[in-house]
Amino acid sequence: VLLLSGTPLLSRPSELFSLLNILDPKQWDNWYDFARKFCNGHQTRWGFDTSGASNTEELHARIKGYFIRRDKTQVLKELPPKNFIDVPVELDKETAIKYDTAASDLATYLRQYAGKQSPEINRTLMAEKLTQLNVLRYLNAMGKVGMAEELINSILEAGEKVLVFCSFVEPLETLKEHFGDKSVILTGKTPINERGELVGAFQTNPDVSVFLGGIKSAGLGITLTAASNVVFLDHSWTPADHQQAQDRAHRPGATYESLNIYQLNAIDTIDADMKDMLDYKQQVFDVVIDGKKVANQERVVDRVVSRLLEKY
């Protein structure tokens, strides 16, 4: 059995068990034992939680003999370097008001059910947390559109092309209205038979300089090496999404000297927590797959909730 993957682990060790079970079913035959030892598996009021990570150094030691790993720096040494640039953003006033209202509503909801023991309430509460966190992420992305327009215009004035990625469709559609024929947009709403034409236009037409893409729908399987700049409006839930999306431009065929990758971060919002979460998930990957030593961190959902209750 030969398994091929660039990302065998996206967020947490629990994702590895099925792969290990296929490779060596005698050694890895008990999901429950694996979850308790390596996923911080424990019983909660609403079920068995396997979303954590534990004994990660031991897990790496036990699985490193199963795989051969090569990264791009080893096999594609000719690729230009990447420059990572954080861009702090103040949300526009209208969006900032909506954001504060949504955050306050979530804080009120959490306080209303604080201390309740019912498993059903706790399940509902977790679902509500995630729903409201996505509302905050969406409002953040919309509030950065103005700054994104300024940044994109500066890139175009330099005679360069740019990829713009977002987890939400509406900010991309707003940018499409602004840049018109200078841009193409590819999201989950784009018909499959039209996608190749959009990619071709961006790659070959000098008048099309802006590619607007969903981080999931446009972040895989296409080549966009005409761009020497990448802009992220928001943070996805997994670091692999960002890696895959930026690598649409960072691949064989690139002729630029370096790839500039801009991450827009709204000040004093959920963006800081999302970045911490992505850093933590990357650290879990690094220690389990590459054997690096990292510090543990608490789950981002709990951190965001704590911050919300303190502020609102």
Side-chain angles (χ1 to χ4, degrees):
V1 177
L2 179 65
L3 304 180
L4 302 177
S5 175
T7 50
L9 172 66
L10 291 176
S11 301
R12 51 184 64 92
S14 61
E15 298 161 352
L16 282 177
F17 180 79
S18 60
L19 306 181
L20 295 171
N21 178 256
I22 292 171
L23 288 171
D24 191 350
K26 290 183 179 180
Q27 181 69 27
W28 306 94
D29 63 344
N30 192 308
W31 158 246
Y32 184 71
D33 287 348
F34 179 89
R36 283 199 307 171
K37 186 160 191 177
F38 300 116
C39 311
N40 191 29
H42 60 282
Q43 193 66 38
T44 68
R45 291 191 297 270
W46 54 93
F48 191 61
D49 186 350
T50 63
S51 61
S54 52
N55 300 305
T56 49
E57 292 181 16
E58 179 183 346
L59 178 59
H60 169 74
R62 290 183 60 181
I63 70 173
K64 64 182 181 181
Y66 289 108
F67 60 84
I68 298 172
R69 175 164 162 76
R70 300 287 184 268
D71 63 33
K72 291 173 70 173
T73 60
Q74 295 171 295
V75 298
L76 294 174
K77 297 180 180 180
E78 73 279 7
L79 286 183
K82 295 178 179 179
N83 298 322
F84 293 92
I85 305 162
D86 283 330
V87 182
V89 180
E90 291 273 3
L91 295 181
D92 63 74
K93 291 184 179 180
E94 182 179 352
T95 304
I97 292 172
K98 292 179 180 179
Y99 183 94
D100 284 340
T101 300
S104 179
D105 288 347
L106 176 56
T108 300
Y109 182 91
L110 295 174
R111 289 193 183 93
Q112 180 181 355
Y113 288 104
K116 299 293 180 67
Q117 300 298 313
S118 166
E120 185 169 346
I121 287 179
N122 278 294
R123 281 195 297 269
T124 303
L125 183 59
M126 180 55 69
E128 182 68 13
K129 285 181 186 178
L130 294 175
T131 299
Q132 291 300 321
L133 291 180
N134 278 330
V135 170
L136 298 183
R137 292 175 61 230
Y138 162 77
L139 290 172
N140 253 359
M142 287 300 299
K144 300 172 193 172
V145 168
M147 180 62 190
E149 290 177 356
E150 293 182 20
L151 177 58
I152 294 167
N153 279 325
S154 68
I155 292 171
L156 299 186
E157 289 171 3
E160 300 176 2
K161 292 194 175 189
V162 59
L163 312 181
V164 183
F165 289 104
C166 186
S167 303
F168 303 94
V169 173
E170 189 173 345
L172 297 173
E173 292 179 335
T174 303
L175 289 171
K176 173 61 178 170
E177 291 179 10
H178 178 81
F179 289 102
D181 292 339
K182 295 179 183 178
S183 64
V184 292
I185 182 170
L186 195 163
T187 69
K189 297 163 62 174
T190 307
I192 298 294
N193 59 353
E194 296 180 8
R195 299 186 180 194
E197 182 179 346
L198 297 175
V199 171
F202 180 78
Q203 285 286 90
T204 61
N205 189 340
D207 295 326
V208 178
S209 301
V210 182
F211 184 96
L212 306 165
I215 198 168
K216 291 282 193 183
S217 52
L220 291 168
I222 57 177
T223 296
L224 300 167
T225 50
S228 54
N229 301 272
V230 181
V231 175
F232 288 100
L233 289 185
D234 65 337
H235 298 273
S236 181
W237 287 107
T238 62
D241 289 344
H242 288 258
Q243 185 72 42
Q244 292 281 6
Q246 64 192 240
D247 283 354
R248 298 310 92 213
H250 196 249
R251 55 200 303 108
T255 58
Y256 48 78
E257 293 185 0
S258 63
L259 180 67
N260 298 316
I261 301 168
Y262 301 89
Q263 177 68 61
L264 303 189
N265 291 305
I267 299 170
D268 195 24
T269 69
I270 193 176
D271 273 353
D273 300 296
M274 293 296 296
K275 183 179 184 303
D276 287 347
M277 178 199 66
L278 290 174
D279 289 344
Y280 170 63
K281 289 183 176 181
Q282 185 61 52
Q283 288 175 356
V284 171
F285 183 97
D286 289 343
V287 68
V288 172
I289 303 301
D290 290 334
K292 297 179 181 179
K293 294 184 180 295
V294 299
N296 196 18
Q297 296 183 18
E298 60 184 316
R299 292 171 57 187
V300 67
V301 172
D302 297 329
R303 273 184 16 88
V304 176
V305 168
S306 297
R307 284 187 58 219
L308 284 172
L309 293 176
E310 289 175 7
K311 184 174 181 180
Y312 298 93

